[in-house]
Amino acid sequence: MHLELQHGADVHRLAVRRDGVTWRVTLDGAASPVEILANDGAEVAFALDGARGRAYVARRGSERLVFLDGVVYTLRLPDEDEGDDLGDPGEHEPNLVAKMPGIVVKVLVAEGDRVAAGAPLLIMEAMKMETEIVSPLDGRVARVHAAAGQVLAAGEPLLDLEPEA
């Protein structure tokens, strides 16, 4: 995903991509591996070059305001026509995968069920927090890969959706 990072009048190119269990963040050509330790959408704990940090994120339309070390940064797409968004990678994909290692607490749907965008699909527990996984689109559950009690690694399949025509 390619973004613009703005701090004051300075604008920088930022590329972010998943690299196994870590993320590869490239800022103006310099790449660094970043491990996400916890992420509840508003607060992100991370490790960068062995140092731990914490950032706070707020939404403002299609932008994200990131508060880090007393400084506010603005993240936005460089071109809205790219079709990218600031959500999680794969957020609108029909094949859902675990974003971090965890345990499936409960599967709320079965194969063949029709679901609406935002409908709860399953509940996972990771780092002592339960997270409800919701449908990114209107469609039908094509296949359920996960079962209650199953331990999953990041990137393992949860379920497949067929988008509504």
Side-chain angles (χ1 to χ4, degrees):
M1 171 182 345
H2 294 280
L3 303 166
E4 286 181 348
L5 174 73
Q6 182 175 347
H7 174 58
D10 297 328
V11 178
H12 304 275
R13 294 282 299 164
L14 180 71
V16 180
R17 72 175 172 87
R18 186 181 295 261
D19 189 14
V21 295
T22 62
W23 293 86
R24 172 117 354 236
V25 178
T26 305
L27 178 62
D28 293 335
S32 297
V34 177
E35 182 181 359
I36 303 299
L37 305 172
N39 180 1
D40 69 5
E43 183 177 355
V44 180
F46 62 91
L48 172 64
D49 295 329
R52 290 179 180 234
R54 190 170 303 277
Y56 301 90
V57 181
R59 292 177 183 236
R60 181 173 67 187
S62 64
E63 296 179 330
R64 300 298 181 267
L65 303 176
V66 180
F67 303 88
L68 176 64
D69 295 331
V71 179
V72 178
Y73 300 91
T74 303
L75 288 175
R76 69 177 155 274
L77 292 174
D79 181 4
E80 291 295 329
D81 294 331
E82 285 185 22
D84 210 350
D85 70 19
L86 293 177
D88 294 323
E91 174 175 55
H92 297 289
E93 295 294 320
N95 303 321
L96 301 176
V97 297
K99 294 181 184 178
M100 63 176 42
I103 299 171
V104 177
V105 175
K106 187 174 185 180
V107 178
L108 304 171
V109 295
E111 290 180 12
D113 287 354
R114 293 221 173 268
V115 294
L121 302 172
L122 59 90
I123 299 171
M124 283 195 65
E125 180 182 315
M127 299 176 64
K128 300 182 184 177
M129 292 186 347
E130 284 191 1
T131 302
E132 186 176 73
I133 309 300
V134 299
S135 178
L137 47 82
D138 292 335
R140 185 182 67 79
V141 178
R143 182 159 183 211
V144 177
H145 297 281
Q150 185 176 359
V151 178
L152 298 173
E156 286 196 72
L158 297 173
L159 53 86
D160 298 338
L161 298 174
E162 288 180 356
E164 204 166 75

